Short mmCIF file of all heavy atoms in Angstrom, two decimals:
data_model
loop_
_atom_site.label_atom_id
_atom_site.label_comp_id
_atom_site.label_asym_id
_atom_site.label_seq_id
_atom_site.Cartn_x
_atom_site.Cartn_y
_atom_site.Cartn_z
N SER Z 189 29.95 17.66 7.16
CA SER Z 189 30.44 17.74 8.49
C SER Z 189 30.09 19.07 9.19
O SER Z 189 30.20 19.15 10.41
CB SER Z 189 32.00 17.57 8.52
OG SER Z 189 32.62 18.48 7.73
N LYS Z 190 29.74 20.07 8.44
CA LYS Z 190 29.37 21.40 9.04
C LYS Z 190 27.83 21.54 9.12
O LYS Z 190 27.40 22.63 9.54
CB LYS Z 190 29.99 22.50 8.23
CG LYS Z 190 31.54 22.49 8.27
CD LYS Z 190 32.09 23.71 7.44
CE LYS Z 190 33.59 23.66 7.49
NZ LYS Z 190 34.17 24.80 6.73
N ASN Z 191 27.05 20.56 8.63
CA ASN Z 191 25.64 20.66 8.61
C ASN Z 191 25.05 20.11 9.87
O ASN Z 191 24.96 18.90 10.02
CB ASN Z 191 25.05 19.95 7.40
CG ASN Z 191 23.55 19.82 7.44
OD1 ASN Z 191 23.09 18.67 7.34
ND2 ASN Z 191 22.79 20.85 7.56
N ARG Z 192 24.68 20.98 10.86
CA ARG Z 192 24.12 20.53 12.10
C ARG Z 192 22.63 20.75 12.09
O ARG Z 192 22.17 21.88 11.87
CB ARG Z 192 24.77 21.24 13.28
CG ARG Z 192 24.23 20.78 14.64
CD ARG Z 192 24.94 21.45 15.75
NE ARG Z 192 24.46 20.99 17.04
CZ ARG Z 192 24.97 19.91 17.68
NH1 ARG Z 192 25.99 19.25 17.13
NH2 ARG Z 192 24.53 19.51 18.84
N LEU Z 193 21.85 19.75 12.38
CA LEU Z 193 20.35 19.81 12.36
C LEU Z 193 19.90 20.41 13.69
O LEU Z 193 20.48 20.15 14.75
CB LEU Z 193 19.76 18.45 12.12
CG LEU Z 193 20.07 17.82 10.78
CD1 LEU Z 193 19.82 16.33 10.84
CD2 LEU Z 193 19.19 18.42 9.71
N LYS Z 194 18.78 21.18 13.62
CA LYS Z 194 18.15 21.66 14.88
C LYS Z 194 17.46 20.49 15.58
O LYS Z 194 17.46 20.42 16.79
CB LYS Z 194 17.23 22.81 14.58
CG LYS Z 194 17.92 24.12 14.29
CD LYS Z 194 16.89 25.23 14.11
CE LYS Z 194 17.55 26.56 13.85
NZ LYS Z 194 16.61 27.67 13.70
N LYS Z 195 16.81 19.68 14.81
CA LYS Z 195 15.99 18.60 15.40
C LYS Z 195 15.84 17.45 14.43
O LYS Z 195 15.71 17.64 13.24
CB LYS Z 195 14.63 19.14 15.78
CG LYS Z 195 13.70 18.13 16.54
CD LYS Z 195 12.35 18.72 16.88
CE LYS Z 195 12.51 19.85 17.90
NZ LYS Z 195 11.15 20.30 18.35
N ILE Z 196 15.87 16.24 15.00
CA ILE Z 196 15.52 15.02 14.26
C ILE Z 196 14.25 14.50 14.94
O ILE Z 196 14.27 14.24 16.15
CB ILE Z 196 16.62 14.00 14.25
CG1 ILE Z 196 17.84 14.52 13.52
CG2 ILE Z 196 16.13 12.69 13.63
CD1 ILE Z 196 19.01 13.58 13.52
N ILE Z 197 13.19 14.29 14.18
CA ILE Z 197 11.94 13.75 14.71
C ILE Z 197 11.80 12.38 14.13
O ILE Z 197 11.63 12.19 12.92
CB ILE Z 197 10.73 14.67 14.42
CG1 ILE Z 197 10.98 16.02 14.97
CG2 ILE Z 197 9.45 14.03 14.90
CD1 ILE Z 197 9.91 17.04 14.58
N VAL Z 198 11.76 11.34 14.99
CA VAL Z 198 11.47 9.98 14.57
C VAL Z 198 9.93 9.78 14.67
O VAL Z 198 9.34 9.90 15.78
CB VAL Z 198 12.20 8.97 15.40
CG1 VAL Z 198 11.90 7.53 14.96
CG2 VAL Z 198 13.72 9.21 15.35
N SER Z 199 9.27 9.47 13.56
CA SER Z 199 7.81 9.49 13.55
C SER Z 199 7.22 8.34 14.32
O SER Z 199 7.80 7.30 14.54
CB SER Z 199 7.36 9.42 12.09
OG SER Z 199 7.66 10.57 11.37
N GLU Z 200 5.98 8.58 14.77
CA GLU Z 200 5.22 7.58 15.50
C GLU Z 200 5.04 6.38 14.62
O GLU Z 200 4.78 6.48 13.42
CB GLU Z 200 3.88 8.18 15.93
CG GLU Z 200 3.16 7.40 17.01
CD GLU Z 200 3.98 7.42 18.32
OE1 GLU Z 200 4.44 8.49 18.74
OE2 GLU Z 200 4.11 6.36 18.91
N GLY Z 201 5.14 5.20 15.23
CA GLY Z 201 5.02 3.92 14.53
C GLY Z 201 6.30 3.22 14.37
O GLY Z 201 6.37 1.99 14.27
N ILE Z 202 7.44 3.97 14.38
CA ILE Z 202 8.77 3.36 14.28
C ILE Z 202 9.10 2.76 15.66
O ILE Z 202 8.94 3.42 16.68
CB ILE Z 202 9.82 4.43 13.86
CG1 ILE Z 202 9.49 4.88 12.47
CG2 ILE Z 202 11.23 3.82 13.90
CD1 ILE Z 202 10.35 5.99 11.94
N ARG Z 203 9.63 1.54 15.64
CA ARG Z 203 9.79 0.77 16.90
C ARG Z 203 11.20 0.54 17.32
O ARG Z 203 11.49 0.29 18.49
CB ARG Z 203 9.08 -0.63 16.80
CG ARG Z 203 7.56 -0.47 16.68
CD ARG Z 203 6.86 -1.84 16.76
NE ARG Z 203 7.25 -2.57 17.96
CZ ARG Z 203 6.75 -2.38 19.17
NH1 ARG Z 203 5.85 -1.41 19.40
NH2 ARG Z 203 7.13 -3.14 20.17
N LYS Z 204 12.18 0.65 16.40
CA LYS Z 204 13.58 0.27 16.80
C LYS Z 204 14.63 1.21 16.21
O LYS Z 204 14.48 1.65 15.03
CB LYS Z 204 13.85 -1.18 16.33
CG LYS Z 204 13.07 -2.24 16.98
CD LYS Z 204 13.48 -3.62 16.52
CE LYS Z 204 12.72 -4.76 17.23
NZ LYS Z 204 13.12 -6.08 16.73
N ILE Z 205 15.65 1.49 17.01
CA ILE Z 205 16.89 2.09 16.51
C ILE Z 205 17.93 0.97 16.63
O ILE Z 205 18.17 0.48 17.70
CB ILE Z 205 17.32 3.28 17.35
CG1 ILE Z 205 16.18 4.28 17.54
CG2 ILE Z 205 18.53 3.96 16.70
CD1 ILE Z 205 15.65 4.96 16.27
N VAL Z 206 18.47 0.51 15.45
CA VAL Z 206 19.32 -0.65 15.52
C VAL Z 206 20.73 -0.35 15.00
O VAL Z 206 20.96 0.68 14.32
CB VAL Z 206 18.71 -1.81 14.62
CG1 VAL Z 206 17.39 -2.23 15.17
CG2 VAL Z 206 18.56 -1.34 13.16
N GLY Z 207 21.69 -1.24 15.32
CA GLY Z 207 23.05 -1.07 14.91
C GLY Z 207 23.60 0.27 15.39
O GLY Z 207 23.35 0.71 16.44
N THR Z 208 24.39 0.90 14.53
CA THR Z 208 24.94 2.23 14.76
C THR Z 208 24.01 3.27 14.17
O THR Z 208 24.47 4.13 13.43
CB THR Z 208 26.38 2.36 14.30
OG1 THR Z 208 26.41 1.87 12.93
CG2 THR Z 208 27.33 1.52 15.11
N GLY Z 209 22.72 3.18 14.48
CA GLY Z 209 21.72 3.95 13.81
C GLY Z 209 21.98 5.47 13.82
O GLY Z 209 21.95 6.10 12.76
N PHE Z 210 22.20 6.06 14.95
CA PHE Z 210 22.42 7.52 15.01
C PHE Z 210 23.87 7.82 15.45
O PHE Z 210 24.12 8.97 15.98
CB PHE Z 210 21.44 8.18 16.03
CG PHE Z 210 20.04 8.30 15.37
CD1 PHE Z 210 18.93 7.87 16.05
CD2 PHE Z 210 19.90 8.95 14.14
CE1 PHE Z 210 17.66 8.03 15.52
CE2 PHE Z 210 18.63 9.06 13.62
CZ PHE Z 210 17.52 8.59 14.30
N ALA Z 211 24.77 6.92 15.25
CA ALA Z 211 26.21 7.22 15.52
C ALA Z 211 26.62 8.39 14.65
O ALA Z 211 26.29 8.45 13.48
CB ALA Z 211 27.03 6.00 15.28
N TRP Z 212 27.38 9.33 15.21
CA TRP Z 212 28.00 10.49 14.51
C TRP Z 212 27.01 11.49 13.99
O TRP Z 212 27.37 12.45 13.38
CB TRP Z 212 28.88 9.98 13.35
CG TRP Z 212 29.65 8.79 13.76
CD1 TRP Z 212 30.74 8.77 14.62
CD2 TRP Z 212 29.45 7.44 13.31
NE1 TRP Z 212 31.20 7.47 14.77
CE2 TRP Z 212 30.43 6.67 13.99
CE3 TRP Z 212 28.57 6.84 12.48
CZ2 TRP Z 212 30.53 5.29 13.84
CZ3 TRP Z 212 28.64 5.46 12.31
CH2 TRP Z 212 29.62 4.71 12.95
N VAL Z 213 25.71 11.34 14.27
CA VAL Z 213 24.78 12.35 13.82
C VAL Z 213 25.02 13.67 14.57
O VAL Z 213 25.38 13.66 15.73
CB VAL Z 213 23.29 11.88 14.02
CG1 VAL Z 213 22.95 11.81 15.52
CG2 VAL Z 213 22.31 12.77 13.30
N MET Z 214 24.77 14.80 13.87
CA MET Z 214 24.92 16.14 14.54
C MET Z 214 23.61 16.82 14.54
O MET Z 214 23.01 17.13 13.48
CB MET Z 214 25.94 16.95 13.71
CG MET Z 214 27.34 16.34 13.69
SD MET Z 214 28.54 17.35 12.73
CE MET Z 214 27.86 17.12 11.11
N ALA Z 215 23.04 16.99 15.72
CA ALA Z 215 21.71 17.60 15.93
C ALA Z 215 21.59 18.21 17.32
O ALA Z 215 22.11 17.65 18.29
CB ALA Z 215 20.62 16.63 15.62
N ASP Z 216 20.84 19.29 17.46
CA ASP Z 216 20.57 19.87 18.75
C ASP Z 216 19.72 18.94 19.59
O ASP Z 216 19.86 18.83 20.79
CB ASP Z 216 19.96 21.24 18.64
CG ASP Z 216 20.90 22.26 18.02
OD1 ASP Z 216 22.12 22.04 18.07
OD2 ASP Z 216 20.36 23.25 17.46
N GLN Z 217 18.76 18.27 18.91
CA GLN Z 217 17.78 17.43 19.67
C GLN Z 217 17.29 16.28 18.79
O GLN Z 217 17.16 16.44 17.58
CB GLN Z 217 16.59 18.29 20.09
CG GLN Z 217 15.58 17.63 20.97
CD GLN Z 217 14.49 18.54 21.41
OE1 GLN Z 217 13.42 18.62 20.82
NE2 GLN Z 217 14.74 19.25 22.49
N VAL Z 218 17.03 15.15 19.44
CA VAL Z 218 16.46 14.02 18.75
C VAL Z 218 15.22 13.66 19.58
O VAL Z 218 15.31 13.44 20.82
CB VAL Z 218 17.38 12.78 18.65
CG1 VAL Z 218 16.64 11.57 18.13
CG2 VAL Z 218 18.57 13.08 17.74
N VAL Z 219 14.04 13.56 18.92
CA VAL Z 219 12.79 13.22 19.58
C VAL Z 219 12.38 11.82 19.11
O VAL Z 219 12.20 11.58 17.94
CB VAL Z 219 11.72 14.25 19.25
CG1 VAL Z 219 10.41 13.88 19.92
CG2 VAL Z 219 12.14 15.65 19.63
N LEU Z 220 12.27 10.95 20.10
CA LEU Z 220 11.88 9.53 19.84
C LEU Z 220 10.44 9.27 20.20
O LEU Z 220 9.95 9.79 21.22
CB LEU Z 220 12.84 8.59 20.64
CG LEU Z 220 14.33 8.77 20.38
CD1 LEU Z 220 15.15 7.92 21.30
CD2 LEU Z 220 14.66 8.50 18.91
N PRO Z 221 9.71 8.51 19.45
CA PRO Z 221 8.23 8.40 19.54
C PRO Z 221 7.79 7.46 20.71
O PRO Z 221 8.58 6.68 21.22
CB PRO Z 221 7.83 7.84 18.23
CG PRO Z 221 8.95 6.94 17.83
CD PRO Z 221 10.20 7.67 18.28
N GLU Z 222 6.55 7.56 21.06
CA GLU Z 222 5.91 6.67 22.06
C GLU Z 222 6.00 5.22 21.64
O GLU Z 222 6.04 4.32 22.45
CB GLU Z 222 4.47 7.09 22.31
CG GLU Z 222 4.34 8.39 23.09
CD GLU Z 222 2.86 8.69 23.44
OE1 GLU Z 222 2.11 7.68 23.75
OE2 GLU Z 222 2.47 9.84 23.41
#
């Protein structure tokens, strides 16, 4: 609960975020691909 990420990078090629995919995640930034 104290581990906050600076960035989450979702790699190119991934097409879907489903369900409660990133619910409750702790990060300064999330980068989603083209």
Side-chain angles (χ1 to χ4, degrees):
S189 59
K190 296 182 180 179
N191 168 237
R192 183 178 183 86
L193 296 160
K194 286 186 177 179
K195 185 181 291 187
I196 297 176
I197 300 174
V198 180
S199 293
E200 197 63 46
I202 296 174
R203 293 187 55 78
K204 294 182 179 181
I205 311 296
V206 298
T208 49
F210 283 129
W212 318 290
V213 70
M214 297 181 293
D216 293 338
Q217 187 177 94
V218 173
V219 180
L220 303 174
E222 290 186 35

